[in-house]
Amino acid sequence: MPAAPAPARPGVQRPEQPLISIILPCLDEEAVLAETLARLGRLAAGQPDCRFEFVFVDDGSRDRTPEILREAAARDPRVRVLRFARNFGQQIAVSAGIEVAKGDAVVLMDADLQDPPEVVAQMIDRWRQGFDVVYGTRASRRADSLMKRATARLFYSTINRLSEVPIPADTGDFRLMGRPVVDVLRQMPERHRFIRGMVSWVGFRQTSIPYDRPERFAGVTKYPLRKMLRFAADGILSFSIKPLQLSIALGLIAATLALFGIAYALFMRIFTSVWVEGWTALMIAVLFMGGVQLICLGIMGEYIGRIYSEVKRRPLYVVAERMGFDETGE
Ligand code: UDP
Ligand code: MG
């Protein structure tokens, strides 16, 4: 572990007994929750000068996840649970947690223990030193497949070329955020949410902690390739309008090529007698132009679809049940 950098803001005041909210989105996590709860309990026991709340957001699980969480909430006053009416996606689940979290600092963490609870203790230290955002970076991706590593690299280089705010590579959503950052996030109403990008956009003093990302404790990934691609598209399209400008560039290139084609066709028509030929050239031009136009239409369609779902102004999620919120007077 590299030495901690100098304090970000010497003399920054943090509460004596800060409340740390840990937000855990869960989809079909019955296999890991008992262990996750135990590890969170140990984390809290090791931090006697902090108070904790564990906000679980059940994102429409079809297994025993809600029952396990209901029991946990009944047993442990620190456990709070939002149960969604259906699956809304991890980014929305995290957003719901951020909405209800009361903490002076809020931690986002996967429920499958790939984000080790022990790292949170270091994040709290950094926050006490004056940082507003402490995110975990994956020191090694040993647990990830070659495919996942390669696509992740491609994704982060693309998004950083396109997006105006730099988004650190090799990070997930595993991070601690101070209250001021959380309050800004709560004011961002967009429904296509790419939380790690939104946190970068907010700014403040951010730092990173490298950690070894272990394999999922149990169960299987809830991100099949299709969902992964959707997530990547959300990230890029919500943080850049450059793809729209790309369609202008494609259009210009195609138009320039077309100009040459037109000049050639006119030349052949006027000065030679072979002007009936050229079916191949014609087909190539038509197909190429058609392809370029469809790509551009598709890019615009992506953005228009997003505008459409934003203007509908539906709530982000539907909560079916709240557990463990009564003691706080809510
Ligand atoms: N998750 C969720 N809703 C979803 C997909 C995932 O709440 O639609 C949760 C999941 O339960 C886990 C976290 O998001 O706590 C990360 O998912 P997972 O570990 O399956 O992703 P991976 O680590 O394989 O990328
Ligand atoms: Mg995982």
Side-chain angles (χ1 to χ4, degrees):
M1 195 61 48
R9 261 184 293 157
V12 66
Q13 284 301 312
R14 296 293 188 217
E16 273 299 308
Q17 279 273 321
L19 176 66
I20 312 287
S21 305
I22 301 195
I23 297 174
L24 304 107
C26 308
L27 173 62
D28 297 336
E29 299 290 9
E30 63 179 4
V32 302
L33 281 177
E35 180 68 13
T36 307
L37 284 159
R39 294 266 289 272
L40 289 174
R42 257 176 273 153
L43 163 73
Q47 300 285 317
D49 46 1
C50 293
R51 292 171 299 133
F52 282 86
E53 68 170 354
F54 307 127
V55 182
F56 289 88
V57 184
D58 172 18
D59 187 13
S61 301
R62 288 161 185 279
D63 64 359
R64 290 197 59 250
T65 298
E67 283 77 56
I68 298 172
L69 292 177
R70 192 172 298 123
E71 282 162 28
R75 216 174 37 229
D76 185 340
R78 297 170 299 186
V79 173
R80 281 162 211 187
V81 183
L82 290 180
R83 185 167 67 77
F84 277 180
R86 64 167 170 85
N87 178 250
F88 282 89
Q90 182 205 2
Q91 301 287 301
I92 304 280
V94 168
S95 306
I98 287 174
E99 202 58 46
V100 300
K102 292 254 183 297
D104 301 298
V106 172
V107 178
L108 314 182
M109 184 194 280
D110 287 356
D112 62 359
L113 294 171
Q114 284 197 285
D115 302 334
E118 296 70 35
V119 178
V120 174
Q122 302 173 38
M123 290 183 167
I124 295 172
D125 284 345
R126 288 293 172 87
W127 173 67
R128 285 210 158 114
Q129 287 167 11
F131 288 101
D132 301 292
V133 175
V134 188
Y135 53 87
T137 55
R138 296 161 190 189
S140 73
R141 279 175 166 271
R142 262 179 290 120
D144 287 339
S145 67
L146 213 61
M147 171 74 179
K148 177 126 186 190
R149 271 184 261 175
T151 49
R153 189 162 336 117
L154 178 69
F155 171 69
Y156 281 105
S157 69
T158 310
I159 197 166
N160 274 316
R161 204 162 303 146
L162 296 181
S163 155
E164 267 142 43
V165 282
I167 295 166
D170 285 328
T171 63
D173 288 327
F174 187 30
R175 59 192 60 216
L176 176 148
M177 302 174 294
R179 182 41 63 182
V181 177
V182 174
D183 284 340
V184 179
L185 278 187
R186 291 179 46 164
Q187 288 169 23
M188 296 169 82
E190 61 243 59
R191 57 196 39 255
H192 294 279
R193 304 177 80 79
F194 182 61
I195 291 182
R196 60 199 76 165
M198 291 162 70
V199 176
S200 294
W201 180 88
V202 172
F204 288 100
R205 289 195 170 257
Q206 310 210 357
T207 187
S208 62
I209 290 186
Y211 70 101
D212 277 321
R213 189 165 167 84
E215 264 171 69
R216 188 174 239 291
F217 177 74
V220 293
T221 179
K222 307 304 178 311
Y223 272 98
L225 184 65
R226 198 172 39 84
K227 225 164 163 180
M228 206 72 213
L229 288 177
R230 261 286 107 205
F231 179 66
D234 270 346
I236 290 172
L237 297 176
S238 336
F239 275 84
S240 173
I241 55 161
K242 287 205 183 119
L244 282 174
Q245 293 158 349
L246 175 83
S247 51
I248 298 177
L250 280 178
L252 281 178
I253 293 170
T256 315
L257 288 178
L259 268 184
F260 283 112
I262 290 166
Y264 173 75
L266 285 177
F267 178 85
M268 296 298 270
R269 173 72 182 83
I270 297 168
F271 298 106
T272 73
S273 55
V274 292
W275 58 273
V276 240
E277 286 178 23
W279 184 85
T280 318
L282 194 69
M283 281 316 277
I284 291 175
V286 168
L287 292 177
F288 179 69
M289 290 299 286
V292 170
Q293 283 172 4
L294 283 181
I295 292 174
C296 298
L297 275 180
I299 294 174
M300 282 188 215
E302 278 290 326
Y303 284 99
I304 292 172
R306 272 144 214 277
I307 297 171
Y308 180 55
S309 65
E310 293 288 349
V311 296
K312 279 194 285 193
R313 297 240 142 257
R314 289 194 183 151
L316 269 182
Y317 50 84
V318 179
V319 174
E321 191 179 353
R322 295 158 69 92
M323 306 166 229
F325 282 91
D326 304 330
E327 308 86 337
T328 56
E330 279 198 56

